[in-house]
Amino acid sequence: MNKSNKKLKLAIICSGGNSPGMNNAVIGFAKKCAQCNIDAYYFLWGYKGITNNDIHPCNLRYLEEFTNRGNTIIGSGRLPSFATDVNVRKKAVKNLKKNGIDCLLVVGGEGSYQGAYKLSQLGAKVIAIPATIDNDVNSTQYTIGFDTCLNQVSKLINDITDCFSSHDGINLIEIMGRACPDLTINTGIGSNIYMVTKYNILKTEDFIKIVKHCKSQGKRAINFVVTEKIYGTNNLPTLASIAKKIEATTGHMTRVTTIGYIQRGGTPSARDRLIANYLVDKAVDLAKQGVFNKAVGINNKQIVAIELKRAVTMKRKSHNRYLVNKFNKINLQ
Ligand code: ADP
Ligand code: F6P
Ligand code: MG
């Protein structure tokens, strides 16, 4: 019940780059609301669905069929005009009011958090839940989807290594993650391969030096895992041109693999399913208590909630740079 003793009415959206585990957040939401006698709704396609009033009641028996399906059955979306045009956001607030939504749960990444905060500034009540493969939400140490994505990438790198070991070859593997190096670092450490991130951008000569060093020690496949959007921008050569030079200089077959969207799909891992349920449980509890405009997240393995305003302005605390240097040195042994 809300303060006026009316049954509480909550809605959820998935927003931004979709990620595995979003379905589990939606299903967890529908279950928790059913348990707490709260009316549960979702809008399709993120902020776009709110502005188009594309609202639907949660049908628990239907939604739970998607427990082991990747990403999100209610659709996610990017709506650039939501960021730039206050009238688009006002329309969303109007639709939330019209539908009597007491609080909107926004499941998404950093951009979606900004959108949620701006909705709250227009009077809507919101709670943000972190979900993106990039792990780039500064107010939490973990985002739903990261673990599944990391496992996808690690599995693909196993397969690439099988292939390149058989050719004595070199592979420059570009993975997603936006500006955030977390996926690259966790892949590099877990798979024992050299990582290239914004913290340690290599020149072509550096790649060649590492290849020569590893080959002199008898290493067969040599992989580099590289964060996307570094090479081919900011006056840096493309990975394809670097690969050509490595091959010309060392005589070893050198190729580029861009992993792309395969890494963003897939059956959600047990960890992502669990965390999605814990985070949504916390968010609904907050709404039940009449506590809004919060960002839920994970800090030192605890589920926490902080002011959304603080969440969207926080800087990231990170030891990433240290890890890159430390494990790259180990991987060169
Ligand atoms: P993610 O949430 O995964 O980081 P985006 O950065 O694409 O994905 O953001 C998702 C959506 O959130 C955007 O399409 C836009 O509708 C909204 N959004 C992003 N940035 C802002 C902003 N600064 N202000 C308001 N809305 C924003
Ligand atoms: O934010 C998730 C992500 O997959 C990033 O890793 C990547 O840079 C981006 O989305 C791709 O964006 P789009 O889905 O618009 O191609
Ligand atoms: Mg993002």
Side-chain angles (χ1 to χ4, degrees), residues 78 132-134 176-178 228-229 261 264:
R78 304 196 204 264
T132 158
I133 59 164
D134 302 331
M176 283 182 173
R178 271 221 168 121
E228 65 172 354
K229 302 186 198 296
Y261 291 91
R264 206 162 90 187

Side-chain angles (χ1 to χ4, degrees), residues 75-118:
S76 186
R78 304 196 204 264
L79 179 64
S81 61
F82 195 84
T84 51
D85 186 349
V86 70
N87 289 321
V88 177
R89 296 196 293 276
K90 281 186 178 163
K91 198 169 167 199
V93 173
K94 203 168 137 201
N95 284 339
L96 289 169
K97 280 202 180 129
K98 190 169 89 185
N99 289 296
I101 301 300
D102 293 301
C103 179
L104 173 74
L105 273 55
V106 175
V107 181
E110 196 65 25
S112 305
Y113 270 49
Q114 297 290 341
Y117 177 58
K118 288 194 179 160

Side-chain angles (χ1 to χ4, degrees), residues 30 43 67 71 102 158 203 218 225 247 269 290 302 316-317:
F43 289 92
T67 298
N71 306 56
D102 293 301
N158 292 344
K203 296 196 182 100
V225 61
E247 182 164 306
S269 69
Q302 303 292 315
R316 190 186 175 102
K317 288 188 213 133

Side-chain angles (χ1 to χ4, degrees), residues 174-247:
E174 189 178 63
I175 65 170
M176 283 182 173
R178 271 221 168 121
C180 184
D182 285 19
L183 278 168
T184 308
I185 295 171
N186 284 263
T187 303
I189 296 172
S191 301
N192 285 325
I193 61 180
Y194 201 95
M195 50 197 129
V196 184
T197 70
K198 63 181 178 184
Y199 298 138
N200 66 322
I201 297 173
L202 299 187
K203 296 196 182 100
T204 307
E205 313 80 272
D206 303 324
F207 279 101
I208 292 171
K209 223 191 256 171
I210 293 168
V211 168
K212 283 186 173 166
H213 169 79
C214 293
K215 285 293 173 197
S216 74
Q217 303 208 326
K219 194 166 166 58
R220 292 180 69 158
I222 302 172
N223 288 325
F224 293 85
V225 61
V226 185
T227 315
E228 65 172 354
K229 302 186 198 296
I230 294 178
Y231 291 95
T233 60
N234 297 320
N235 294 326
L236 289 170
T238 61
L239 285 177
S241 71
I242 294 173
K244 265 194 189 152
K245 287 194 180 139
I246 298 173
E247 182 164 306

Side-chain angles (χ1 to χ4, degrees), residues 40 52-53 60 97 136 149 172 246 304:
N52 293 339
N53 206 25
L60 185 50
K97 280 202 180 129
D136 63 352
C149 179
L172 312 183
I246 298 173
V304 295

